Amino acid sequence: MKKLVIIGAGFGGLYTAKQMDHEDFEITLVDKTNHHLFQPLLYQVATAALTSADICTPIRKILCKQENTLVLMSRVTRIDKANREIHLHNHQPLPYDILVVSTGVHHYYFGHNEWEKYAPGLKTLNDALTIRDKLLFNFEKAELCDRYSDAQKYLSFIIVGGGPTGVELAGAVAEIANHTLVENFKKIDPSSAKVYLVEAAPRLLPSMPEKLGVKAKKDLEQLGVEVITGQMVTDITPHGVQVGNRFIKATNTIWAAGTEASTLLKTLDVPLDRVGRVIVEPDLSIPGNPEIFVIGDAAHCKGKDGNPLPAVAPVAMQQATFVARLIKKNLVGKCDKPFSYTDLGTMATIGRSKAVAQIGNLVFTGFLAWCLWSAVHLMHIILFRNRIKVLIDWIHGYITGHRGARVIRNPSEEDFREELSRIK
Amino acid sequence: MKKLVIIGAGFGGLYTAKQMDHEDFEITLVDKTNHHLFQPLLYQVATAALTSADICTPIRKILCKQENTLVLMSRVTRIDKANREIHLHNHQPLPYDILVVSTGVHHYYFGHNEWEKYAPGLKTLNDALTIRDKLLFNFEKAELCDRYSDAQKYLSFIIVGGGPTGVELAGAVAEIANHTLVENFKKIDPSSAKVYLVEAAPRLLPSMPEKLGVKAKKDLEQLGVEVITGQMVTDITPHGVQVGNRFIKATNTIWAAGTEASTLLKTLDVPLDRVGRVIVEPDLSIPGNPEIFVIGDAAHCKGKDGNPLPAVAPVAMQQATFVARLIKKNLVGKCDKPFSYTDLGTMATIGRSKAVAQIGNLVFTGFLAWCLWSAVHLMHIILFRNRIKVLIDWIHGYITGHRGARVIRNPSEEDFREELSRIK
């Protein structure tokens, strides 16, 4: 039986696997975590609205009825094209006849890896929990300060990157300060927190129609966010961020700007783009090896306008369907038509009843866009049980303004000590 | 206005604070986390049935309407009786007129601190998440093994300590293996996992009537747990546990045996018992300082039978009520009657429809005890929203056998590497 190996259980890898159900293949799906992460809602875990279990579904549970598919939790270290096998951290090499690589991206600091320590990015569950801990802990630290000027330093939040993730984070952080935490503190006023959103491009949401970028800016400003566009971040320190000529003091910075593809792709030994993505053939295979496909965020695949397709779930899912069809129909290496993306639109939420959306030539804003956003995301959450729990949390949050997952994991001695040395 | 300082927001500290609402005191509640932990259900987080947000409630949210109470998230380093102030890690000293110490316990390895690495205990949220990760990761590691003998090592689970926590953990781990994970793996059979419960005393649940210990053993054995009583654990290594003359191979050991009171109590400079608890006066104050109270698990307080009261939530809550009354009625130092514990019974759950309970002279087992256990625990969860979510999870788990929080937080490079070296 032919061996199909899939690396990564994000939208690309998981949907490829699911579509191979009942097919005459021996399928192995490898992921370094045990869960499929519903990444579009990851910022809601980072901002305490949802819990990790709401958006992380065990891969084995999703595929438990699929008899032809083995799920392995492991880290792939190398792809050996010549011998048609992949090397794993804790397993002997896995041979394949067909390989689908869907390894996604991680944050990229434009060569400034030292920024990561002060400005964590948001790609994995751990990232989200780290950001949540930091965010909530900062309000706690502010409450411990005796002087207003000390407290203020902890009440400044900078989000770098004005794409959908940055916009959604900025809106959520502002809502935490203005609604969720209000009346929860005695010494500080959480709503005095300053939230900054910095984007190097001239406007927010550069990948969406201009009207929506303008609307998002207006909505965010209404929530008290200071939106800074057309300015580059040139330095990030433990004390703040240098934005153009201005140094903004803040101990809490979140990175939502650059991303870079997995370094595993380098072992494919094919041309990569500037951010490490594989420049794929029209059938999504790699040059010279029609049996290896790269899909999702890891692929640089040109759209109708000549620009690379955006790094969003629908692209990965459509590519999964495309590749699964080729494999099922025995069309690998003899593809009949190139992959073509059907753009179903994009959307971003800004806050309660506030969102922007584009579907074809139509644009929506405000409450209608927000309902649309909520419905589309809810629909795509994998388990019915999780859908119900997210819905309850959203309704509860909508009515009360509360967020259900305001948990700081126990800080270590080190966290406290670091603080002590800073305050002194 | 008189200053009341409370250390610890467990059942003792939080309930003391709550009962001081509207009183003419300046109250400060200090805890090193931001949440009140509903510890009786912590084992359900460790075994993936509940999420952390279900049982962790922000302390500030619980007390947000209580105008006289300041909540600080900080670590207390020292109590200075002479100057009537407590020292904090990241704050200037806090003066008090009355001090309530409710700092709980942590695990105690009987002088073998090196065991902690291989046998984590279950007291904090982090502990529970660590145990959950380890538990689920072990099944993943087993699926990666080529030889049955290698896999078996990962499918052995040892729980040390046959009190309520140990019994509940053993039952839950057996259910994970026999129900939750069944059909989720292709190479291994999760139900072939071996679960051992080791207790040094001659029987399980030594603090409960003998009949219940016998019933718990029978129920656990029905779930496939091997119960070993009357045997001491003499060594714990990365490869297994020495129980009497027998070495049981296992890479997954959980510690539910000894506990020890917080080291902070040593700074009180009063007599402590064998496990570091303060031997309190009949009014729960410390000898020589009637303005300092120690309550909850941190206190060694004799019951009617001359034995120290058990480390359970009802004791802490009743002590909180007792101390709050003394403070409110201005009876500090001139207590009219000693603290007396009203035993409302004890209970432990073993698995689906299986529990044991004792209320006064009545003992219950099986489904009735399980319903009782569920109702009592649900009733005591602090927020209505959390009650609903736990109820949904329980009903869903009861019907399907699934567990809603089967998430392994992203393992680090190190986790994978450690595994690699072990397998090789």
Side-chain angles (χ1 to χ4, degrees), chain A residues 221-242:
Chain A
E221 284 172 345
Q222 240 176 37
L223 286 170
V225 177
E226 183 173 337
V227 178
I228 303 169
T229 51
Q231 301 267 2
M232 292 277 281
V233 166
T234 52
D235 198 17
I236 301 179
T237 77
H239 306 290
V241 176
Q242 186 74 41

Side-chain angles (χ1 to χ4, degrees), chain B residues 107-121:
Chain B
H107 7 283
Y108 175 54
Y109 292 86
F110 304 115
H112 292 278
N113 288 340
E114 71 277 13
W115 293 355
E116 182 166 17
K117 200 173 159 195
Y118 316 119

Side-chain angles (χ1 to χ4, degrees), chain A residues 187-264:
Chain A
K187 287 161 72 185
I188 61 161
D189 171 10
S191 69
S192 74
K194 281 292 295 171
V195 184
Y196 302 88
L197 177 61
V198 185
E199 165 61 41
R203 63 172 180 90
L204 293 183
L205 302 172
S207 63
M208 291 192 189
E210 182 160 4
K211 189 183 161 189
L212 297 185
V214 172
K215 175 65 176 156
K217 182 166 185 252
K218 215 168 123 188
D219 281 350
L220 284 170
E221 284 172 345
Q222 240 176 37
L223 286 170
V225 177
E226 183 173 337
V227 178
I228 303 169
T229 51
Q231 301 267 2
M232 292 277 281
V233 166
T234 52
D235 198 17
I236 301 179
T237 77
H239 306 290
V241 176
Q242 186 74 41
V243 182
N245 296 325
R246 178 176 171 200
F247 186 80
I248 306 175
K249 276 195 195 170
T251 58
N252 207 328
T253 304
I254 307 175
W255 186 259
T259 58
E260 181 184 44
S262 155
T263 50
L264 179 67

Side-chain angles (χ1 to χ4, degrees), chain A residues 349-371:
Chain A
T349 180
I350 292 143
R352 193 151 64 149
S353 308
K354 288 188 172 71
V356 295
Q358 170 225 343
I359 296 173
N361 291 324
L362 299 171
V363 293
F364 303 89
T365 59
F367 186 69
L368 183 62
W370 183 79
C371 290

Side-chain angles (χ1 to χ4, degrees), chain A residues 75 89 92 146 413 420, chain B residues 75 89 92 146 413 420:
Chain A
R75 195 172 284 234
H89 227 136
Q92 76 281 31
D146 285 308
E413 282 280 342
L420 185 69
Chain B
R75 195 171 283 235
H89 227 136
Q92 76 280 30
D146 285 309
E413 282 281 340
L420 185 69

